[in-house]
Amino acid sequence: MDDGYFGEDVAATYDQSEGPEFESAAVESAARFVAELAGDGAALELGIGTGRIALPLAARGVPVHGIDLSRAMVARLRAKPGGDAVGVTIGDFTTTRVPGEFSVAYLVFNTIMNLTTQTDQVACFRNAAAHLRPGGCFVIEVGVPALRQLPPGQTVVPFHVGASSWAYDVYDVATQAMSSNYVDVTGGRGAFRSIPFRYVWPSELDLMAELAGMRLRERWADWAREPFTGESRKHVSVWQKP
C-alpha cells in the first residue's frame, strides 16, 4: 500500500518539526484534553502518525488505537518507548473499521484537510461516529482558512521564509482546494514538495457532524480552551454522539 504523502522522506524528519504543535506544553495540553473526554473508555486516533499525541495519551492510562495509511509514520511510532503497546490498523481512516467501541475519536493538526473532497470528509465523520459508544465524542483540531490574508487577485500565502527554505500555501477559493508547498536548497540543489488539502469552515464541519448523527458540544481556539472568536487562527471542536 502506498504511504501517500507521508512516506519515509517525511517520516524521517517529522518529529523534528519546529511548529508550536510539537512543543511539549502543546502536546501535553492536547493529551490532557482528549484524556478528559475519554474518561474510563478508549480513544481512537485517525491519522495516528508517529504517535505525537497517542503516546502521551496512553501514558495517562487511556487505551489508544490508531488508524493510519502510512507504514513509514507508524514505524516511527513503533520505535518509540511504549509504541508497541498502541494498537494500529493500516488503512484509510474514512473507511477502515477496527474492533471495539470508543468513548472518544480524534483527528489533530489539520489532518481532516488531507481528505481532499467534501465526500471523503463527510465519510470521515460517519466512520468516527460508527466507532463511538453512545455519548462518545469526536474531536478535530484544524486551522481556520486564511483567506483574509489574500489580497484581491492573489492566491498564495507564504508561511515560512528562510535563508535556504521557503514554504507557502496556494488557495483556490472556487473549489476550496489548497496545497502546502515546500522548497529546500541543500548544497546548491533544490527540492520541491507539494501536499494537497481541502480547507473547511467550522460551520461546514458542524453540518458534516449532523449528517453523521452528531451535534456540536463545544468549540475552542486551542487545547487550553481559550474562547473561539473571529480572530482565532484555528479551532478545537467537539461533537457528541447521542
Side-chain angles (χ1 to χ4, degrees), residues 20-59:
E21 294 84 2
F22 292 82
E23 295 176 0
S24 59
V27 170
E28 284 303 312
S29 183
R32 181 168 57 249
F33 189 107
V34 176
E36 290 173 1
L37 291 175
D40 61 356
L44 175 67
E45 181 166 2
L46 307 182
I48 193 170
T50 64
R52 180 176 61 92
I53 304 300
L55 289 174
L57 181 60

mmCIF file of all heavy atoms in Angstrom, residues 20-59:
data_model
loop_
_atom_site.group_PDB
_atom_site.id
_atom_site.type_symbol
_atom_site.label_atom_id
_atom_site.label_comp_id
_atom_site.label_asym_id
_atom_site.label_seq_id
_atom_site.Cartn_x
_atom_site.Cartn_y
_atom_site.Cartn_z
ATOM 1 N N PRO A 20 4.609 25.130 16.643
ATOM 2 C CA PRO A 20 4.128 25.169 18.032
ATOM 3 C C PRO A 20 3.409 23.905 18.456
ATOM 4 O O PRO A 20 3.377 23.567 19.642
ATOM 5 C CB PRO A 20 3.188 26.387 18.047
ATOM 6 C CG PRO A 20 2.819 26.622 16.615
ATOM 7 C CD PRO A 20 4.007 26.194 15.820
ATOM 8 N N GLU A 21 2.825 23.179 17.512
ATOM 9 C CA GLU A 21 2.113 21.947 17.842
ATOM 10 C C GLU A 21 3.032 20.868 18.389
ATOM 11 O O GLU A 21 2.568 19.923 19.036
ATOM 12 C CB GLU A 21 1.385 21.395 16.610
ATOM 13 C CG GLU A 21 0.258 22.266 16.111
ATOM 14 C CD GLU A 21 0.728 23.386 15.190
ATOM 15 O OE1 GLU A 21 1.960 23.454 14.917
ATOM 16 O OE2 GLU A 21 -0.116 24.179 14.754
ATOM 17 N N PHE A 22 4.347 21.002 18.136
ATOM 18 C CA PHE A 22 5.304 19.991 18.567
ATOM 19 C C PHE A 22 5.961 20.339 19.901
ATOM 20 O O PHE A 22 6.731 19.545 20.425
ATOM 21 C CB PHE A 22 6.371 19.789 17.491
ATOM 22 C CG PHE A 22 5.832 19.147 16.239
ATOM 23 C CD1 PHE A 22 5.189 19.913 15.278
ATOM 24 C CD2 PHE A 22 5.946 17.789 16.034
ATOM 25 C CE1 PHE A 22 4.679 19.333 14.125
ATOM 26 C CE2 PHE A 22 5.441 17.192 14.884
ATOM 27 C CZ PHE A 22 4.800 17.971 13.932
ATOM 28 N N GLU A 23 5.661 21.502 20.446
ATOM 29 C CA GLU A 23 6.212 21.876 21.748
ATOM 30 C C GLU A 23 5.575 21.018 22.837
ATOM 31 O O GLU A 23 4.392 20.676 22.763
ATOM 32 C CB GLU A 23 5.969 23.355 22.011
ATOM 33 C CG GLU A 23 6.710 24.268 21.040
ATOM 34 C CD GLU A 23 6.398 25.736 21.245
ATOM 35 O OE1 GLU A 23 5.590 26.036 22.172
ATOM 36 O OE2 GLU A 23 6.918 26.568 20.496
ATOM 37 N N SER A 24 6.364 20.674 23.844
ATOM 38 C CA SER A 24 5.898 19.731 24.864
ATOM 39 C C SER A 24 4.643 20.230 25.579
ATOM 40 O O SER A 24 3.740 19.439 25.891
ATOM 41 C CB SER A 24 7.013 19.462 25.885
ATOM 42 O OG SER A 24 7.433 20.667 26.509
ATOM 43 N N ALA A 25 4.551 21.527 25.827
ATOM 44 C CA ALA A 25 3.377 22.060 26.519
ATOM 45 C C ALA A 25 2.114 21.875 25.681
ATOM 46 O O ALA A 25 1.043 21.539 26.214
ATOM 47 C CB ALA A 25 3.581 23.537 26.849
ATOM 48 N N ALA A 26 2.229 22.082 24.376
ATOM 49 C CA ALA A 26 1.076 21.918 23.488
ATOM 50 C C ALA A 26 0.666 20.454 23.400
ATOM 51 O O ALA A 26 -0.531 20.131 23.392
ATOM 52 C CB ALA A 26 1.404 22.471 22.106
ATOM 53 N N VAL A 27 1.641 19.567 23.328
ATOM 54 C CA VAL A 27 1.351 18.134 23.252
ATOM 55 C C VAL A 27 0.639 17.673 24.526
ATOM 56 O O VAL A 27 -0.363 16.948 24.473
ATOM 57 C CB VAL A 27 2.647 17.338 23.028
ATOM 58 C CG1 VAL A 27 2.395 15.836 23.203
ATOM 59 C CG2 VAL A 27 3.215 17.622 21.648
ATOM 60 N N GLU A 28 1.145 18.099 25.679
ATOM 61 C CA GLU A 28 0.529 17.698 26.943
ATOM 62 C C GLU A 28 -0.871 18.274 27.086
ATOM 63 O O GLU A 28 -1.776 17.630 27.622
ATOM 64 C CB GLU A 28 1.411 18.139 28.114
ATOM 65 C CG GLU A 28 2.639 17.271 28.298
ATOM 66 C CD GLU A 28 2.278 15.800 28.491
ATOM 67 O OE1 GLU A 28 1.372 15.499 29.313
ATOM 68 O OE2 GLU A 28 2.878 14.943 27.828
ATOM 69 N N SER A 29 -1.075 19.492 26.594
ATOM 70 C CA SER A 29 -2.403 20.107 26.651
ATOM 71 C C SER A 29 -3.401 19.314 25.820
ATOM 72 O O SER A 29 -4.538 19.069 26.247
ATOM 73 C CB SER A 29 -2.323 21.557 26.162
ATOM 74 O OG SER A 29 -3.573 22.196 26.264
ATOM 75 N N ALA A 30 -2.973 18.881 24.625
ATOM 76 C CA ALA A 30 -3.843 18.081 23.761
ATOM 77 C C ALA A 30 -4.151 16.730 24.399
ATOM 78 O O ALA A 30 -5.304 16.272 24.397
ATOM 79 C CB ALA A 30 -3.194 17.893 22.396
ATOM 80 N N ALA A 31 -3.128 16.078 24.944
ATOM 81 C CA ALA A 31 -3.330 14.769 25.574
ATOM 82 C C ALA A 31 -4.267 14.878 26.770
ATOM 83 O O ALA A 31 -5.136 14.018 26.983
ATOM 84 C CB ALA A 31 -1.988 14.179 25.997
ATOM 85 N N ARG A 32 -4.122 15.938 27.551
ATOM 86 C CA ARG A 32 -4.996 16.136 28.712
ATOM 87 C C ARG A 32 -6.449 16.350 28.267
ATOM 88 O O ARG A 32 -7.380 15.789 28.845
ATOM 89 C CB ARG A 32 -4.500 17.330 29.521
ATOM 90 C CG ARG A 32 -5.321 17.617 30.759
ATOM 91 C CD ARG A 32 -4.627 18.622 31.666
ATOM 92 N NE ARG A 32 -4.341 19.872 30.958
ATOM 93 C CZ ARG A 32 -3.114 20.287 30.627
ATOM 94 N NH1 ARG A 32 -2.053 19.542 30.919
ATOM 95 N NH2 ARG A 32 -2.936 21.438 30.007
ATOM 96 N N PHE A 33 -6.640 17.142 27.231
ATOM 97 C CA PHE A 33 -7.977 17.426 26.700
ATOM 98 C C PHE A 33 -8.666 16.136 26.267
ATOM 99 O O PHE A 33 -9.814 15.866 26.628
ATOM 100 C CB PHE A 33 -7.831 18.387 25.514
ATOM 101 C CG PHE A 33 -9.120 18.946 24.971
ATOM 102 C CD1 PHE A 33 -9.465 20.270 25.192
ATOM 103 C CD2 PHE A 33 -9.970 18.177 24.196
ATOM 104 C CE1 PHE A 33 -10.638 20.812 24.679
ATOM 105 C CE2 PHE A 33 -11.147 18.689 23.678
ATOM 106 C CZ PHE A 33 -11.486 20.016 23.919
ATOM 107 N N VAL A 34 -7.958 15.329 25.464
ATOM 108 C CA VAL A 34 -8.542 14.089 24.957
ATOM 109 C C VAL A 34 -8.770 13.093 26.091
ATOM 110 O O VAL A 34 -9.785 12.381 26.121
ATOM 111 C CB VAL A 34 -7.655 13.484 23.856
ATOM 112 C CG1 VAL A 34 -8.211 12.147 23.389
ATOM 113 C CG2 VAL A 34 -7.538 14.442 22.682
ATOM 114 N N ALA A 35 -7.847 13.036 27.053
ATOM 115 C CA ALA A 35 -7.987 12.107 28.178
ATOM 116 C C ALA A 35 -9.230 12.419 28.999
ATOM 117 O O ALA A 35 -9.925 11.504 29.474
ATOM 118 C CB ALA A 35 -6.743 12.159 29.055
ATOM 119 N N GLU A 36 -9.534 13.704 29.172
ATOM 120 C CA GLU A 36 -10.730 14.086 29.921
ATOM 121 C C GLU A 36 -11.990 13.581 29.228
ATOM 122 O O GLU A 36 -12.941 13.144 29.885
ATOM 123 C CB GLU A 36 -10.774 15.602 30.085
ATOM 124 C CG GLU A 36 -9.710 16.140 31.037
ATOM 125 C CD GLU A 36 -9.658 17.660 31.051
ATOM 126 O OE1 GLU A 36 -10.468 18.301 30.337
ATOM 127 O OE2 GLU A 36 -8.812 18.221 31.773
ATOM 128 N N LEU A 37 -12.012 13.647 27.899
ATOM 129 C CA LEU A 37 -13.169 13.154 27.153
ATOM 130 C C LEU A 37 -13.230 11.626 27.160
ATOM 131 O O LEU A 37 -14.318 11.041 27.137
ATOM 132 C CB LEU A 37 -13.122 13.657 25.712
ATOM 133 C CG LEU A 37 -13.343 15.168 25.516
ATOM 134 C CD1 LEU A 37 -13.140 15.537 24.051
ATOM 135 C CD2 LEU A 37 -14.729 15.585 25.990
ATOM 136 N N ALA A 38 -12.060 10.990 27.177
ATOM 137 C CA ALA A 38 -12.022 9.518 27.172
ATOM 138 C C ALA A 38 -12.581 8.940 28.470
ATOM 139 O O ALA A 38 -13.241 7.897 28.461
ATOM 140 C CB ALA A 38 -10.598 9.031 26.944
ATOM 141 N N GLY A 39 -12.310 9.612 29.586
ATOM 142 C CA GLY A 39 -12.773 9.104 30.864
ATOM 143 C C GLY A 39 -12.226 7.717 31.129
ATOM 144 O O GLY A 39 -11.016 7.492 31.054
ATOM 145 N N ASP A 40 -13.121 6.760 31.373
ATOM 146 C CA ASP A 40 -12.678 5.389 31.621
ATOM 147 C C ASP A 40 -12.748 4.530 30.365
ATOM 148 O O ASP A 40 -12.635 3.311 30.426
ATOM 149 C CB ASP A 40 -13.518 4.749 32.726
ATOM 150 C CG ASP A 40 -15.000 4.676 32.369
ATOM 151 O OD1 ASP A 40 -15.386 5.190 31.296
ATOM 152 O OD2 ASP A 40 -15.776 4.116 33.168
ATOM 153 N N GLY A 41 -12.935 5.176 29.190
ATOM 154 C CA GLY A 41 -13.041 4.435 27.939
ATOM 155 C C GLY A 41 -11.770 4.519 27.109
ATOM 156 O O GLY A 41 -10.733 5.009 27.558
ATOM 157 N N ALA A 42 -11.868 4.048 25.878
ATOM 158 C CA ALA A 42 -10.725 4.002 24.969
ATOM 159 C C ALA A 42 -10.812 5.147 23.965
ATOM 160 O O ALA A 42 -11.870 5.744 23.743
ATOM 161 C CB ALA A 42 -10.682 2.671 24.242
ATOM 162 N N ALA A 43 -9.672 5.447 23.342
ATOM 163 C CA ALA A 43 -9.570 6.529 22.361
ATOM 164 C C ALA A 43 -9.125 5.968 21.021
ATOM 165 O O ALA A 43 -8.293 5.059 20.961
ATOM 166 C CB ALA A 43 -8.587 7.596 22.838
ATOM 167 N N LEU A 44 -9.678 6.539 19.955
ATOM 168 C CA LEU A 44 -9.307 6.154 18.589
ATOM 169 C C LEU A 44 -8.735 7.380 17.895
ATOM 170 O O LEU A 44 -9.416 8.404 17.769
ATOM 171 C CB LEU A 44 -10.527 5.661 17.819
ATOM 172 C CG LEU A 44 -10.313 5.327 16.338
ATOM 173 C CD1 LEU A 44 -9.404 4.109 16.184
ATOM 174 C CD2 LEU A 44 -11.657 5.076 15.644
ATOM 175 N N GLU A 45 -7.473 7.282 17.446
ATOM 176 C CA GLU A 45 -6.868 8.395 16.705
ATOM 177 C C GLU A 45 -6.875 8.096 15.215
ATOM 178 O O GLU A 45 -6.321 7.098 14.759
ATOM 179 C CB GLU A 45 -5.435 8.682 17.156
ATOM 180 C CG GLU A 45 -4.844 9.854 16.377
ATOM 181 C CD GLU A 45 -3.572 10.439 16.957
ATOM 182 O OE1 GLU A 45 -3.081 9.910 17.973
ATOM 183 O OE2 GLU A 45 -3.061 11.430 16.386
ATOM 184 N N LEU A 46 -7.481 8.984 14.450
ATOM 185 C CA LEU A 46 -7.487 8.898 12.999
ATOM 186 C C LEU A 46 -6.275 9.664 12.479
ATOM 187 O O LEU A 46 -6.141 10.862 12.713
ATOM 188 C CB LEU A 46 -8.782 9.496 12.442
ATOM 189 C CG LEU A 46 -10.077 8.939 13.036
ATOM 190 C CD1 LEU A 46 -11.291 9.582 12.376
ATOM 191 C CD2 LEU A 46 -10.151 7.424 12.918
ATOM 192 N N GLY A 47 -5.375 8.958 11.791
ATOM 193 C CA GLY A 47 -4.122 9.578 11.378
ATOM 194 C C GLY A 47 -3.153 9.639 12.548
ATOM 195 O O GLY A 47 -2.657 10.703 12.903
ATOM 196 N N ILE A 48 -2.851 8.489 13.131
ATOM 197 C CA ILE A 48 -2.046 8.448 14.357
ATOM 198 C C ILE A 48 -0.598 8.839 14.121
ATOM 199 O O ILE A 48 0.085 9.312 15.024
ATOM 200 C CB ILE A 48 -2.148 7.057 15.018
ATOM 201 C CG1 ILE A 48 -1.599 7.074 16.442
ATOM 202 C CG2 ILE A 48 -1.450 5.993 14.166
ATOM 203 C CD1 ILE A 48 -1.908 5.792 17.218
ATOM 204 N N GLY A 49 -0.093 8.651 12.910
ATOM 205 C CA GLY A 49 1.257 9.085 12.566
ATOM 206 C C GLY A 49 2.333 8.488 13.440
ATOM 207 O O GLY A 49 2.357 7.280 13.704
ATOM 208 N N THR A 50 3.224 9.349 13.941
ATOM 209 C CA THR A 50 4.351 8.898 14.755
ATOM 210 C C THR A 50 4.018 8.845 16.243
ATOM 211 O O THR A 50 4.895 8.614 17.062
ATOM 212 C CB THR A 50 5.568 9.820 14.558
ATOM 213 O OG1 THR A 50 5.246 11.136 15.026
ATOM 214 C CG2 THR A 50 5.975 9.891 13.088
ATOM 215 N N GLY A 51 2.741 9.065 16.581
ATOM 216 C CA GLY A 51 2.330 8.947 17.978
ATOM 217 C C GLY A 51 2.541 10.190 18.812
ATOM 218 O O GLY A 51 2.586 10.101 20.040
ATOM 219 N N ARG A 52 2.624 11.337 18.172
ATOM 220 C CA ARG A 52 2.874 12.596 18.906
ATOM 221 C C ARG A 52 1.858 12.816 20.026
ATOM 222 O O ARG A 52 2.224 13.221 21.128
ATOM 223 C CB ARG A 52 2.843 13.776 17.921
ATOM 224 C CG ARG A 52 3.088 15.141 18.533
ATOM 225 C CD ARG A 52 3.123 16.208 17.446
ATOM 226 N NE ARG A 52 1.863 16.283 16.720
ATOM 227 C CZ ARG A 52 0.858 17.104 17.059
ATOM 228 N NH1 ARG A 52 0.977 17.900 18.102
ATOM 229 N NH2 ARG A 52 -0.253 17.126 16.343
ATOM 230 N N ILE A 53 0.584 12.521 19.773
ATOM 231 C CA ILE A 53 -0.446 12.656 20.802
ATOM 232 C C ILE A 53 -0.779 11.315 21.435
ATOM 233 O O ILE A 53 -1.037 11.224 22.641
ATOM 234 C CB ILE A 53 -1.731 13.275 20.201
ATOM 235 C CG1 ILE A 53 -1.413 14.628 19.537
ATOM 236 C CG2 ILE A 53 -2.802 13.445 21.277
ATOM 237 C CD1 ILE A 53 -0.828 15.662 20.469
ATOM 238 N N ALA A 54 -0.764 10.249 20.662
ATOM 239 C CA ALA A 54 -1.181 8.939 21.165
ATOM 240 C C ALA A 54 -0.309 8.451 22.319
ATOM 241 O O ALA A 54 -0.828 7.883 23.299
ATOM 242 C CB ALA A 54 -1.164 7.918 20.032
ATOM 243 N N LEU A 55 0.999 8.644 22.227
ATOM 244 C CA LEU A 55 1.884 8.118 23.272
ATOM 245 C C LEU A 55 1.692 8.828 24.615
ATOM 246 O O LEU A 55 1.558 8.160 25.644
ATOM 247 C CB LEU A 55 3.340 8.168 22.809
ATOM 248 C CG LEU A 55 3.680 7.154 21.708
ATOM 249 C CD1 LEU A 55 5.106 7.364 21.211
ATOM 250 C CD2 LEU A 55 3.494 5.734 22.209
ATOM 251 N N PRO A 56 1.681 10.162 24.663
ATOM 252 C CA PRO A 56 1.404 10.791 25.958
ATOM 253 C C PRO A 56 -0.011 10.511 26.466
ATOM 254 O O PRO A 56 -0.245 10.477 27.678
ATOM 255 C CB PRO A 56 1.623 12.284 25.702
ATOM 256 C CG PRO A 56 1.619 12.453 24.239
ATOM 257 C CD PRO A 56 2.079 11.159 23.657
ATOM 258 N N LEU A 57 -0.957 10.287 25.549
ATOM 259 C CA LEU A 57 -2.307 9.923 25.974
ATOM 260 C C LEU A 57 -2.304 8.537 26.602
ATOM 261 O O LEU A 57 -2.905 8.318 27.665
ATOM 262 C CB LEU A 57 -3.246 9.970 24.766
ATOM 263 C CG LEU A 57 -4.720 9.650 25.015
ATOM 264 C CD1 LEU A 57 -5.329 10.615 26.017
ATOM 265 C CD2 LEU A 57 -5.494 9.683 23.700
ATOM 266 N N ALA A 58 -1.615 7.599 25.967
ATOM 267 C CA ALA A 58 -1.509 6.250 26.526
ATOM 268 C C ALA A 58 -0.787 6.264 27.870
ATOM 269 O O ALA A 58 -1.120 5.485 28.775
ATOM 270 C CB ALA A 58 -0.789 5.334 25.539
ATOM 271 N N ALA A 59 0.202 7.160 28.002
ATOM 272 C CA ALA A 59 0.936 7.269 29.262
ATOM 273 C C ALA A 59 0.033 7.731 30.407
ATOM 274 O O ALA A 59 0.345 7.508 31.582
ATOM 275 C CB ALA A 59 2.114 8.227 29.101
#
